[in-house]
Amino acid sequence: MSHIEKKEFEIYRISPPPPEWDLQECIRQYIQSGDDKYFYWFLHHYEPMLNEKAKFFRNKYKMDEHFSDIKQSLVTGLCKALLNYDISISPFLPYAQRYMEREAHNYIRTMRTGYSVQSEFEYARLRKVMDIFNHSGGEFTEETISQVATQIGESSEKTKSIPDSSLNPENIYFKQELYGKLYEAYDSLEYTEKIMLAQHLGFCPECFSTRYADKTNLDENGKPKEKPINPLPYTDIATDHGFSDADTAKRVCDNAIIKLRKKI
């Protein structure tokens, strides 16, 4: 490892090192005191894991010269997560994961050499295309296009047109606005409302995906097949959260949707 590379791995190193607190305690002290030093302590202790996350994105998207910037984007996600974090509800790191991933993907989306897609929705589909392409031997044939179309639920013609529509400035602007407002509105909900609404509508409350990887069902490349997240009936949601009847679960979800509409 060169001197420059070593520095990139030790951006948040403090000397002499801070007390050996666990990560959640650093966050608790920061929130209670408002003293930035506790967040710096958190970054000092978390940096080895932060490096691993940055390396994962760097290697996955073959952006060898972007390690430091990807790492900084992850820290930006941590900072944004702190703005809405309620320490009484959940530990910080599980809560912050999707903020970190979103910022890393935003950086990759805008800086990746050779292709840049500004819409988060279009970028998510492009990531799927890239993954299938990489596992098909690098040959983007009609057969590969058919595989992509099947997995993203689009026709072959629509799949071919995705890159063109991704670069439509009007679509990009309005989709960015829409998804930005949706994220903000969803983050403003109470924790129980978030989980119950996600169960009702059929999406992951952490990454917002409507599909999950079924590790018990592998494709020809040995990768888990993706399956849709099925919405749960109100009776099951009520049981999960200890409510006496389905009407209570429905009322919570309806109120959450009303809150979202008002925010948007």
Side-chain angles (χ1 to χ4, degrees), residues 43-103:
L43 291 175
H44 170 90
H45 294 308
Y46 186 59
E47 189 162 31
M49 289 178 277
L50 191 64
N51 287 333
E52 291 303 312
K53 285 183 177 295
K55 284 193 290 185
F56 168 79
F57 285 107
R58 178 197 65 185
N59 296 340
K60 182 175 182 179
Y61 294 100
K62 297 179 174 61
M63 300 178 72
D64 293 342
E65 304 301 319
H66 294 254
F67 173 82
S68 181
D69 290 323
I70 292 172
K71 182 175 175 178
Q72 294 293 75
S73 73
L74 292 169
V75 174
T76 299
L78 287 170
C79 293
K80 288 187 176 181
L82 276 172
L83 295 176
N84 299 310
Y85 176 58
D86 185 341
I87 198 169
S88 67
I89 293 177
S90 68
F92 177 64
L93 278 175
Y95 172 82
Q97 290 307 309
R98 65 186 175 88
Y99 286 89
M100 297 170 68
E101 292 177 2
R102 188 189 306 170
E103 291 302 317

Side-chain angles (χ1 to χ4, degrees), residues 131-196:
D131 187 57
I132 298 171
F133 177 76
N134 288 334
H135 286 87
S136 65
E139 297 293 330
F140 205 84
T141 62
E142 288 296 326
E143 180 181 357
T144 305
I145 292 173
S146 178
Q147 292 180 39
V148 175
T150 299
Q151 293 204 36
I152 67 174
E154 297 284 3
S155 67
S156 293
E157 290 303 314
K158 176 65 175 178
T159 301
K160 291 178 183 178
S161 71
I162 285 175
D164 291 335
S165 63
S166 296
L167 298 177
N168 183 307
E170 184 177 351
N171 287 346
I172 291 169
Y173 174 77
F174 285 110
K175 284 177 181 176
Q176 282 181 322
E177 289 294 302
L178 172 62
Y179 289 118
K181 292 296 182 182
L182 279 173
Y183 289 140
E184 290 177 11
Y186 185 77
D187 284 339
S188 72
L189 296 177
E190 295 179 5
Y191 179 76
T192 301
E193 292 174 326
K194 291 180 183 179
I195 301 302
M196 293 177 68

Side-chain angles (χ1 to χ4, degrees), residues 12 14 16-19 21 23 25-31 33-45:
Y12 301 107
I14 298 174
W21 290 359
L23 297 172
E25 178 62 18
C26 293
I27 293 298
R28 188 181 70 82
Q29 291 288 345
Y30 169 73
I31 290 174
S33 69
D35 191 332
D36 289 343
K37 77 175 182 182
Y38 296 114
F39 186 59
Y40 297 143
W41 291 7
F42 168 86
L43 291 175
H44 170 90
H45 294 308

